[in-house]
Every structure is written in C-alpha cells, then in structure tokens.
Amino acid sequence: MEVLDTTIVNVSLPHIAGNLSASTDEATWTLTSYLVANAIILPMTGWLAGRFGRKRLLMLAVTGFTIASFLCGLAPSLGFLIFFRIVHGACGGGLQPLSQAILLESFPAEKRGQAMAFWALGIVVAPMLGPVVGGWLTDNYSWRWVFYVNVPIGAIAILLTQAFIFDPPYLRKERTGIDYWGIGLLIVGMGSLQVMLDKGQEEDWFGSHIIVALAIFAVLGLGGLIIRELTAKDPVIDFSVFKYRSYAVGTFLMTVVGFVLYGSTVLLPLFMQELLGYTATHAGVTNFPRGMASFLFMPVVGFLVGKGDPRRLLGGGLLATAGAMFWLSTFSLNVGFWSFFFPLMLQGAGLGFIFVPITTVTNDPIPRERMGNATSIFNLMRNIGASIGISSVQALQFRHMQTHINVLGQHVNNASAQTQQTLAGMRQLFISKGVDAVTADHRAHAAVWGLVQRQAAMLSYNDVFRFLGGMFLLMVPLIFLMEKPRKKGPVMAH
C-alpha cells in the first residue's frame, strides 16, 4: 500500500492539475512533498520505535496513513492536497522498516528467506503496478480514487495489527534524550536532497541557482548529520550497524538495486509512450511480465535461500538483471510486445533472485534489538538510490540524445545523395496529398528532422540501458565481501 503510493499518483497529475485549477508543474509537488516527508521519517523509525514502542508506532503509522489517504481524496484545493500528502508520506515512511523488522525477528534464521520473499513482493511489484492501477482508476472513476483505494486496506491492516502484532520482551520503550540537532540536520539534509533530485531535471540541474543551493544544504546537512550521530550520546540514527561487513556491503548493493529498478521503471514507459506511441495503459500492460516474473519467482527463491548459500542466488540475480538490461539496449524502433516480453521476464526473475537473498544476508548479523534501526537505514538507502536513479536516467537520456542528434545530423545534409533522395520522395508524398510545392518542401525537411530526432532518442535509450547493465556487472565482485549467513538461529520473537 505504501510503496504503491510512490508511483500510483504519477499518471493522475494532469487530472489533479485540471480539477484543482493548477498547472502540471504545480501538481508535481504532490509527488515531491510525499517523497520528502517519507525520506525524513524513514531513518528515524528505529529511534521512534524505541521511544514509543513498535506496535504503538505501527498502529499510529497505519492509522495516520489511512486517514491522510481519505483526506487527500477529499482535497478541495492543491494546497490542502499537498499538506496531507506530507502527512501521508510521514506516516508511510515507517511502514517499510517496521514491517521488515517484525518479519525478520518473528522467524528463525532458516525461515527468514521465505518471510522476506513475501515481504519483497510488495516492494518490487507495487512500483510496477502503480501506473497501471492509477491510470485505470483515474480513467474509469476519478483521480480521488487513487487515494480512496487505501482506506479499506488500511482499516483491515489496523485491525490485524492490533490482533497479531506484539512488541518482543527485549524491545522496551527507552527514555533517552532527544537529539534535536540530529533531527534538524536530518530534516535539512534529506529534505534538500530529495527536492534537488526530484526537481533537478526540470530546473536544468546545476544551471539553476535553486538546485545549487539545495545541493549545498544537502551536503552540509547530511555531512553534519553523520558527524553529529557518531558523537551524540543518544543518536537519532545509529550508524554503528555499518561495522558489520555484510550489512555495509548489502546496504550499498541495495542502493544500486534501487537505482536500476526505479530508473528502468521510469525509462521503459517513457520509451514506449514517446517513441512507440503506446498509451499509458498499453505501456503498463507491456511492462506487466516483469512484475509477473517477480511474483512467480520470489516464493521459489525464498524457499531456496534456506537450502543453500544465498550469496550464489544473489550473484545469479545480478547477472540475470544485467543481461536483461543489455538485451533491452539492442532494441530499435521496430520492436513490439513480444520483443519486450522475454527481457522483462528475465529482469523480473533476476530481481526476485536479488531482493530476497540481499535482504536476508544483509540483516543476518544484526542483533535483534537493533534490527529496527538497521532496517530503517537499509530502506532509506534503497529509496535514495531510487530517487538518484530516476533523476539520473532522465538526465543521461536527454544528454545522450543531444550527442546523437549532433552525430547523426552531420550525415544528413544537402551534400548527401541519400538525404536528397529521401527529401525528394517525401516532397512527392506531400504533393500527392494536395499540398503546394513550397509547403511540401518545408514538411519534407521537418519530417527528416523528426526521423533524426527519433533515431537519436532510440540510441540514447540504448546507451542508458547499457549503463544500467554495466552497473550491475560491477556489483558482482562485492558479493565476495559478504559473509555467509548463519544456517540456523533462534526464534527471534516470543
């Protein structure tokens, strides 16, 4: 429910803008506000759970998320919607690490892989389902139903949490001091970083004084936060979990996985809609094999994790996903549904082989009383990787397209016999449609320019997919730095 809300609103932005008398640029703040609040609360979840009790915090988070969803659906103005999207993101920020910590502690070591397989289904499948579900609800009902759909699910979650979730005996409320400096630096650093990543492409990155200022605040805020938390008596984020080698390596790997997963999730629909002319629904259906493969393979991987060394499964997943990215980088403008089907199935299966082992191996050495803090940082880094990935692939695609336009354009000129032949054929085509010779000449040149742009865009998408595949290949050697997890372990809950 929470991860779905990071992508489900995207396709509804034009409808939200039109209904609330705002521009599309203004409406994008409904996305940015959610992501900023989410990013600030995520790393604080372990500290909040220790201070208020984990079950109580989970109940408050689910209740707040559900109520905020309902109020977002009722929003009479854009300002009202943005305010409750901030509440939405703040309440949702704790759901991922809390749920993950509860599952990791509730199962013995040999069963954690299966638990993480079902947990990871939501993390991987939800971002892919978001645009499809959001588009269907918006087209058939209203953009408000994008938020209302959370209400019945949230109500059921509140009842089930009350009935079945209990704080373990070792997790007691801690009456520690409050690190106000740490909280302040976290808000400044994470808030600035998230807004910078979300608005960077729109503002031309460091050509904008606003983006430069946000980058400075992000560096100073996050740098100061790390220094403060390493020396504070009662830190709001406990960075000492990075002394466990498997955790440090696994968290870095998860950041890269978030980069590639969300980067490709944004890139593929853009490619399908802008170059191939797909509708939003058609693009969503074409991307469906990836989610389906993850859904089918994750339970299988969860079973295999308990039977052998999960690091081997992780290596296979990285290689499979890299292969899928290189496969996508060979596409042309003539591809159809079945061209996408098999590489996306391979990518979905590969992600299944990545998410379950990496979550299990990374958190294996963490003591159970520090699991909440560890999962908070782990999920935060995946989200940061996702934000950087979304921003980076869009910037890379645009800049590579400009480069390819310059290269292709050098060969399309009046001295080229092939260019002259193509222009002549297009002129005749337009004249045969009843257009005068001068207008036909202008349209022929515009059509050739359009062909150059589309081919340059296609080449730029291929470049970015190769880049994403290369990133995964470079991550494979890091697996050897991770320790083999314990085969057996105590049941980690009462």
Side-chain angles (χ1 to χ4, degrees), residues 63 119 148 191 205 229 436:
T63 304
W119 181 84
Y148 290 149
W205 289 104
E229 298 309 280
D436 64 85

Side-chain angles (χ1 to χ4, degrees), residues 75-287:
S77 66
L78 185 64
F80 187 97
L81 177 59
I82 290 172
F83 175 79
F84 280 103
R85 279 291 278 177
I86 294 172
V87 178
H88 210 201
C91 293
L95 295 180
Q96 293 178 50
L98 285 172
S99 59
Q100 188 180 28
I102 289 167
L103 283 175
L104 283 168
E105 294 178 15
S106 299
F107 287 82
E110 67 272 16
K111 294 287 186 181
R112 287 184 190 171
Q114 295 178 43
M116 284 300 98
F118 286 98
W119 181 84
L121 277 176
I123 301 299
V124 174
V125 177
M128 303 172 195
L129 288 179
V132 181
V133 176
W136 185 81
L137 287 171
T138 303
D139 290 340
N140 290 280
Y141 297 97
S142 162
W143 64 266
R144 298 181 186 276
W145 280 95
V146 168
F147 300 107
Y148 290 149
V149 72
N150 290 324
V151 176
I153 302 169
I156 295 169
I158 293 167
L159 296 174
L160 294 177
T161 301
Q162 176 62 36
F164 296 109
I165 302 298
F166 301 95
D167 284 346
Y170 56 82
L171 189 73
R172 298 300 181 200
K173 289 187 286 186
E174 304 166 4
R175 292 301 177 189
T176 58
I178 299 176
D179 182 13
Y180 292 107
W181 276 102
I183 294 172
L185 289 166
L186 173 65
I187 292 171
V188 171
M190 285 305 306
S192 300
L193 176 66
Q194 192 64 58
V195 175
M196 182 190 80
L197 293 173
D198 204 47
K199 296 292 183 182
Q201 181 67 15
E202 184 182 312
E203 299 288 340
D204 193 30
W205 289 104
F206 295 106
S208 164
H209 295 302
I210 295 173
I211 298 299
V212 171
L214 287 170
I216 293 170
F217 280 122
V219 171
L220 293 177
L222 294 176
L225 174 68
I226 293 170
I227 295 169
R228 170 69 186 179
E229 298 309 280
L230 290 174
T231 57
K233 180 182 176 183
D234 300 307
V236 71
I237 307 173
D238 183 7
F239 287 115
S240 65
V241 289
F242 282 101
K243 71 181 181 183
Y244 300 100
R245 190 174 71 201
S246 290
Y247 180 81
V249 175
T251 301
F252 177 71
L253 280 172
M254 181 51 80
T255 307
V256 178
V257 170
F259 184 105
V260 177
L261 170 61
Y262 282 82
S264 61
T265 301
V266 168
L267 204 63
L268 278 166
L270 283 175
F271 166 45
M272 293 173 185
Q273 292 177 69
E274 292 183 358
L275 289 186
L276 304 182
Y278 288 14
T279 63
T281 304
H282 190 185
V285 171
T286 307
N287 277 283

Side-chain angles (χ1 to χ4, degrees), residues 21-49:
S21 302
S23 68
T24 304
D25 287 344
E26 291 171 334
T28 59
W29 280 102
T30 59
L31 303 177
T32 305
S33 58
Y34 180 90
L35 293 171
V36 169
N38 201 279
I40 291 170
I41 293 296
L42 251 176
M44 295 174 61
T45 305
W47 174 77
L48 290 170

Side-chain angles (χ1 to χ4, degrees), residues 109 245-247 304-312 357 360-365 478-488:
R245 190 174 71 201
S246 290
Y247 180 81
L304 294 174
V305 164
K307 302 297 181 182
D309 189 345
R311 295 175 300 176
R312 295 178 181 176
T360 307
V361 176
T362 301
N363 293 286
D364 182 74
L478 294 180
I479 298 173
F480 298 103
L481 297 177
M482 303 178 81
E483 299 172 352
K484 184 178 181 179
R486 300 185 296 269
K487 189 69 177 176
K488 300 285 184 183

Side-chain angles (χ1 to χ4, degrees), residues 44-68:
M44 295 174 61
T45 305
W47 174 77
L48 290 170
R51 190 166 183 83
F52 299 106
R54 190 161 63 196
K55 178 175 180 175
R56 182 179 297 175
L57 181 63
L58 183 61
M59 288 286 290
L60 287 171
V62 177
T63 304
F65 189 87
T66 305
I67 294 172

